Amino acid sequence: MQQFDNEKFLSLETFRKTGVGVKSPIWFAELEGEFLLWTDVNSGKIKRIRNNPQVMVAPCKRFGDVTGDWVSARASIDETPEGVELVESLLRRKVGVFFALFRRIDTVRDRRRGGRRVCVRVSFA
């Protein structure tokens, strides 16, 4: 897991019902051997995780260029306010001003679309 040290993004590959993988670059934070991600509850990746919690992750650059090896993992969705607050605070600390700016823009967009954020927990077993 050292390949994820000092990385801000990971590529999360989730799988459609047909088995086709969909890769998404996303900010992540690590806590006690788990990766925590922050995304919209209505996003495609959440729909795919609900159907199949098996995922693949690899370190990547901002636009998804993978920089390391793919690792098999299992994702779960934490919709609790505590889970969302936890991942937001970890990302704010890790990413800094860019996360704060993105969060502010995203809040306005969420209000318009009626969306809300959830925490995705990625565990390795």
Side-chain angles (χ1 to χ4, degrees), residues 5 9 12-13 15 18-20 23-24 26 39-40 57 66 71 76 79 82 84 87 93 106-107 110 112 125:
D5 292 350
F9 294 92
L12 174 71
E13 184 175 22
F15 298 93
T18 62
V20 173
K23 298 174 179 117
S24 306
I26 188 169
T39 192
D40 188 286
V57 294
V66 173
V71 179
S76 61
E79 297 187 52
E82 296 81 16
V84 175
V87 70
R93 194 173 326 141
D106 220 41
T107 299
D110 285 350
R112 284 190 208 140

Side-chain angles (χ1 to χ4, degrees), residues 17-96:
K17 290 179 184 178
T18 62
V20 173
V22 179
K23 298 174 179 117
S24 306
I26 188 169
W27 278 318
F28 76 102
E30 194 238 331
L31 181 67
E32 298 172 1
E34 242 184 358
F35 291 164
L36 281 71
L37 318 174
W38 180 79
T39 192
D40 188 286
V41 72
N42 298 316
S43 69
K45 65 181 90 48
I46 292 297
K47 292 174 188 175
R48 292 186 294 273
I49 289 169
R50 288 191 199 285
N51 289 321
N52 180 2
Q54 286 303 125
V55 298
M56 299 290 287
V57 294
C60 73
K61 299 296 180 195
R62 168 67 185 104
F63 295 105
D65 297 326
V66 173
T67 60
D69 296 326
W70 288 95
V71 179
S72 180
R74 188 167 189 85
S76 61
I77 302 162
D78 182 351
E79 297 187 52
T80 66
E82 296 81 16
V84 175
E85 288 173 21
L86 174 62
V87 70
E88 284 182 359
S89 69
L90 292 171
L91 288 172
R92 195 174 303 113
R93 194 173 326 141
K94 181 177 181 177
V95 180

